[in-house]
Structures are given as structure tokens and as C-alpha cells.
């Protein structure tokens, strides 16, 4: 409401104190109504066009030189335990249950040993376990060991040089092969086995080290390349050495082909001409590959001259009989000179044809 002095005089005809008092009451009521209207917004004021509500009075705190002390702890409050840490800043303690902070993760449980790991004891092989390997391109594997030596039944150790990183199943198969097949072979040669020449074991690579090839079993720690077997008397049995007795190499061939799923040696490809590849690759229907040609020894002296004539060959006189044609001609000429008669000529011609017939038969 808005009031002016002329309007006030028209409305209140009485003058004096009463008129002034009435005007003051009217103005006070108008201001009170306006203040009351500001408290409550208009019900149809959807867009907030009405006058804004007055802000609450902010009481400014007087800054004094002294910091106010906290209020004393009430007597009925529970006593704080000495073991509990003091809370700072009104934040809940992380050690108390039911707080918003997530609980700390428990340490991972120890991995249980596999059946192979339990069976591969120190009485069979010195093969400590190593952590799992997670390499690029599916390289590595689980349940890995470092095969350092193989323990024979008589407690002697066969060193694997250098130590091979293999899966437990592959290391167990190598130990069984050495203990049950190689030891009798060395005994037949009058000695005992001392070392196993490890040419290659775990290596993250493709087959035959060809770029872009499929992952080799070496990359899965499931293969080993053996080059030689060394005996205690200093002799070395090269598995691809042609100077070694053929019988010895064939015995090794039959033993590995019966134990491993893949055997590659000379004759398989030119990548395996100087060592033997062994692995336990799993294939459909338990398919196995055994490609190893046991070559015969090379001759010590290369044959420079032609070989001697075999005894069963026909005699040289028979082989050279067709070369007697000029003699036959000379005989016919002599006969022609001795017999100038035409009848004798015809007889000589007949003899000449008879001499040529057996030669043509032999040429066929």
C-alpha cells in the first residue's frame, strides 16, 4: 500500500493528534502486511517473479584475542578406553566396524601344491618351484620348476647343464626317462651317466624362431632340447653324432618316442640336425609325432676311384665279343681272294650274314 499526504487528509478529516496517530497506525499496518507477504511466496508465482525473501540476519562473531575452550565432558558420557586411538576432526576411526572406509583386503591364500609337485620329491629330482610366468603372447605357464639335477636310485645325481625351466609334468617325464632308460643304456657301455646336455628349455618364441609362427612348446615351458648325454668315464653320447654306434642311437630313439608326444631330430627339418627336441604337447586323440632318422656313419675316406668289378659280373671276353666285327670282315676278304669263283662268293656272303646275326641279338 502507498499513501500520500492529500489522500491522508481526505480520508481522515479530523486534525491534530488523532489524525497523526491514525496515520502512523495505518503506515505501521501497511509495513507489517508487506513484511508478512514477503515471508510467504505467492501460490501462483511459478517463475519466482515475486519479491525475494529477506535473508536471515547474520550475526558476526566478535574476534577476541582468546580462543574459547571446549565445554567439559558430561559425567554421564561413557569413558574412552586407553587402547583406542584419539579421534581428530570429528572423523570416524577406520579401525571401528561399520565405518564407510572399506576394510583392508586379506592377504592371498597360499597356492596349493599340485599332485605333480607332491610326487616330484627330492628323492627323484632337485627341482625347486618358481613363480608362475605371465609373458607376452600367452608365454609362460603355471606350476613351474627349475630342474637342476636328477637323483638316481643309488642317490647319485645327474646334473642338468644348464638348469632347465620346465613345467612340473615335463620335468617329471625327463626324470623318469633318465632314471629308467638312460641309466641301463650307460651301464651297457660300461659306465654311468653324469650330465644331461640341455640345449634349450623355456624361451618365449615362435616355432623354430620364425617371426609370426605359432607359439612353440618352449614358450609354454613344455619342451627341452637335448644334445648329448655325458658319462662318468668322460665319454659323450651325441644323439645326432653319426660316429656313435647305430644301436645306441636307436635305443635312445625308441625310448623317447614311447614317453614324449613330440620327438624331432635329423630328417624332420633342418632346424633339428644337431639336437633332439622333446615335448609333451597335447593333441587330439593323443596323436604323437616321432621324426628322427638315425643316419649311417659317413665313410672315412671319400671314394675317388671307381669301385672294383664285382665277382658276379660276366667275364670281359663275353662282354667284348661284339667288338670282333673287323676280324670277321678280314676273314671274309681272305676267303674272297682265295675263291675267285662266283659260287664261292655267295658262300662267303652267307658266312658274313651269319657272323653279324649273333652280334645284333646280343645288342638287344
Amino acid at each position: 500500500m502507498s499513501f500520500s499526504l492529500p489522500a491522508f487528509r481526505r480520508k481522515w478529516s479530523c486534525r491534530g493528534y488523532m489524525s497523526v496517530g491514525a496515520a502512523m497506525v495505518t503506515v505501521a499496518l501497511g509495513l507489517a502486511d508487506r513484511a508478512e507477504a514477503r515471508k510467504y511466496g505467492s501460490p501462483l508465482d511459478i517463475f519466482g517473479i515475486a519479491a525475494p525473501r529477506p535473508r536471515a540476519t547474520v550475526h558476526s562473531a566478535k574476534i577476541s584475542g582468546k580462543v574459547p575452550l571446549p565445554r567439559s565432558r558430561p559425567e554421564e558420557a561413557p569413558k574412552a578406553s586407553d587402547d583406542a586411538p584419539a579421534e581428530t576432526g570429528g572423523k570416524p576411526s577406520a579401525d571401528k566396524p561399520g565405518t564407510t572406509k572399506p576394510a583392508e583386503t586379506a592377504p592371498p591364500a597360499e597356492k596349493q601344491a599340485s599332485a605333480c609337485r607332491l610326487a616330484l620329491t627330492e628323492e627323484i629330482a632337485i627341482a625347486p618351484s618358481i613363480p608362475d610366468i605371465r609373458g607376452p603372447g600367452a608365454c609362460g605357464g603355471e606350476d613351474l620348476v627349475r630342474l637342476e639335477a636328477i637323483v638316481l636310485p643309488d642317490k647319485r645325481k645327474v646334473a642338468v647343464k644348464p638348469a632347465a625351466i620346465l613345467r612340473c609334468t615335463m620335468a617329471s617325464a625327463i626324470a623318469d626317462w633318465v632314471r629308467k632308460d638312460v641309466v641301463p643304456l650307460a651301464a651297457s657301455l660300461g659306465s654311468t651317466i653324469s650330465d644331461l646336455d640341455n640345449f634349450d628349455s623355456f624361451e618365449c618364441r615362435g616355432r623354430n624362431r620364425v617371426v609370426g609362427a605359432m607359439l612353440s612348446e618352449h614358450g609354454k615351458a613344455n619342451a627341452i632340447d637335448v644334445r648329448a648325454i655325458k658319462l662318468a668315464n668322460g665319454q659323450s653320447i651325441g644323439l645326432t653324432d653319426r660316429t656313435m654306434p647305430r644301436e645306441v642311437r636307436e635305443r635312445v630313439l625308441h625310448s623317447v618316442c614311447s614317453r614324449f608326444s613330440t620327438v624331432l631330430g635329423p630328417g624332420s627339418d633342418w632346424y633339428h640336425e644337431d639336437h633332439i627336441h622333446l615335448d609333451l604337447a597335447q593333441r587330439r586323440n593323443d596323436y604323437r609325432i616321432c621324426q628322427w632318422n638315425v643316419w649311417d656313419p659317413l665313410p672315412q675316406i671319400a671314394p675317388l676311384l671307381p669301385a672294383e668289378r664285382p665277382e658276379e659280373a660276366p667275364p670281359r671276353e663275353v662282354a667284348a665279343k661284339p667288338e670282333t666285327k673287323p676280324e670277321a670282315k678280314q676273314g671274309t676278304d681272305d676267303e674272297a681272294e682265295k675263291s675267285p669263283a662266283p659260287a664261292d662268293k655267295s658262300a662267303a656272303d652267307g658266312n658274313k650274314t651269319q657272323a653279324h646275326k649273333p652280334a645284333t641279338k646280343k645288342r638287344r
Side-chain angles (χ1 to χ4, degrees), residues 14-21:
C14 55
R15 301 177 182 275
Y17 177 77
M18 294 298 296
S19 61
V20 174

Side-chain angles (χ1 to χ4, degrees), residues 97-183:
T99 57
T100 57
K101 185 178 180 180
E104 296 181 359
T105 57
E110 294 183 359
K111 189 177 180 180
Q112 295 183 354
S114 62
C116 174
R117 177 68 272 185
L118 296 176
L120 193 63
T121 61
E122 293 184 355
E123 297 180 356
I124 298 176
I126 307 299
S129 299
I130 62 174
D132 299 343
I133 298 177
R134 303 293 182 185
C139 278
E142 301 177 352
D143 195 16
L144 304 179
V145 299
R146 185 175 62 253
L147 184 61
E148 300 175 356
I150 301 167
V151 182
L152 301 182
D154 58 357
K155 305 303 180 183
R156 290 183 299 102
K157 295 180 181 179
V158 178
V160 179
K161 296 182 179 180
I165 297 178
L166 301 168
R167 296 192 180 190
C168 180
T169 52
M170 185 63 187
S172 179
I174 292 292
D176 290 343
W177 171 58
V178 172
R179 288 163 58 92
K180 297 179 181 179
D181 295 342
V182 182
V183 170

Side-chain angles (χ1 to χ4, degrees), residues 2 105 141 162 181 190 217 232 242 260 285:
S2 62
T105 57
D181 295 342
E217 292 297 318
R242 292 188 173 190
F260 300 95
N285 300 328

Side-chain angles (χ1 to χ4, degrees), residues 25-105:
V25 170
T26 305
V27 171
L29 290 175
L31 295 176
D33 293 342
R34 182 175 294 180
E36 189 70 19
R38 288 180 177 179
K39 290 183 181 179
Y40 305 98
S42 175
L44 299 178
D45 187 14
I46 302 175
F47 303 100
I49 306 176
R53 297 181 183 180
R55 296 182 180 179
T57 305
V58 178
H59 299 281
S60 59
K62 294 182 180 180
I63 301 175
S64 60
K66 297 181 180 180
V67 179
L69 298 176
R71 290 182 296 177
S72 60
R73 185 182 181 85
E75 297 180 358
E76 60 273 10
K79 294 182 179 180
S81 59
D82 298 338
D83 299 336
E87 298 179 1
T88 59
K91 296 181 181 179
S93 175
D95 298 337
K96 291 183 179 181
T99 57
T100 57
K101 185 178 180 180
E104 296 181 359
T105 57

Side-chain angles (χ1 to χ4, degrees), residues 133-141 167 202-206 215-216 218-221:
I133 298 177
R134 303 293 182 185
C139 278
R167 296 192 180 190
F202 170 72
E203 184 180 358
C204 186
R205 59 175 175 83
L215 182 64
S216 172
H218 287 279
K220 304 175 184 178

